[in-house]
Amino acid sequence: MNMISDPREHLVVIGNGMAGMRTVEELLKLPGGKRFRITVFGAEPHVNYNRIMLSSVLAGDKSIDEIVINSREWYEENEINLITGDAVKSIDRGARVVTSANGVTVPYDKLLLATGSRPPRPTYSGPGPAGRLRLP
Ligand SMILES: Cc1cc2nc3c(=O)[nH]c(=O)nc-3n(C[C@H](O)[C@H](O)[C@H](O)COP(=O)(O)OP(=O)(O)OC[C@H]3O[C@@H](n4cnc5c(N)ncnc54)[C@H](O)[C@@H]3O)c2cc1C
């Protein structure tokens, strides 16, 4: 794909998880979805997998291949430029450019942040009775 002469708008997705890829799947079904060429950055080295089933992989009940949602072939078939194992580190909204930890710089027209969330961890004032945390 010749990026320079490609007239489509460039959608950059930060986060290759369930929410980000489901959004891309739905976008591709829309008539207007074809107006984008798409680049996806994923901090993890994997394709998109069902994170909810991760416990089954850790328990040895399933292989990582069995919980893959979108294979590498799916990205290729949909002409999605997938960059794995490389987290986006900065967004320059003025220049409309993202830069990754590996120094990859990609311009965008539309940017989708789908980086998940981290649960807040309560601070605690030290060990309480066995098996309990004492919150301040
Ligand atoms: C073991 C387990 C069991 C679960 N069970 C359930 C359940 O039963 N029901 C339920 O509703 N939910 C469950 N969840 C939660 C569910 O998995 C999450 O709600 C869901 O994965 C959120 O999807 P997401 O795409 O928003 O975020 P994530 O899955 O966190 O995906 C975000 C992705 O973005 C990537 N990323 C983050 N920052 C960057 C960056 N700067 N550059 C590039 N990539 C980046 C991350 O590496 C990650 O791959 C479970 C989670 C786990 C771990």
Side-chain angles (χ1 to χ4, degrees):
M1 194 184 346
N2 185 342
M3 302 282 190
I4 304 296
S5 61
D6 193 326
R8 292 175 295 176
E9 287 181 81
H10 192 193
L11 169 66
V12 172
V13 182
I14 307 178
N16 188 31
M18 292 165 73
M21 286 314 93
R22 181 59 191 271
T23 306
V24 170
E25 283 178 4
E26 293 301 316
L27 189 63
L28 291 171
K29 288 180 197 163
L30 298 173
K34 301 290 180 206
R35 78 174 204 258
F36 295 110
R37 64 183 170 91
I38 301 172
T39 295
V40 176
F41 278 92
E44 297 179 61
H46 317 286
V47 291
N48 176 33
Y49 61 89
N50 186 338
R51 185 162 282 201
I52 293 170
M53 300 303 288
L54 209 48
S55 309
S56 303
V57 174
L58 294 175
D61 296 333
K62 286 191 182 296
S63 70
I64 188 81
D65 288 344
E66 287 178 290
I67 68 167
V68 164
I69 299 174
N70 300 104
S71 65
R72 289 210 179 258
E73 289 74 27
W74 177 84
Y75 293 86
E76 285 167 16
E77 283 161 14
N78 289 288
E79 298 183 352
I80 295 169
N81 178 29
L82 175 63
I83 299 170
T84 53
D86 194 9
V88 169
K89 286 294 175 197
S90 70
I91 302 169
D92 183 335
R93 293 178 64 199
R96 298 175 86 86
V97 160
V98 300
T99 303
S100 74
N102 290 343
V104 177
T105 297
V106 175
Y108 64 85
D109 298 297
K110 306 281 186 211
L111 187 63
L112 173 62
L113 302 184
T115 53
S117 60
R118 290 203 186 99
R121 292 174 186 233
T123 52
Y124 66 99
S125 56
R132 294 184 195 165
L133 297 180
R134 193 182 325 121
L135 298 174

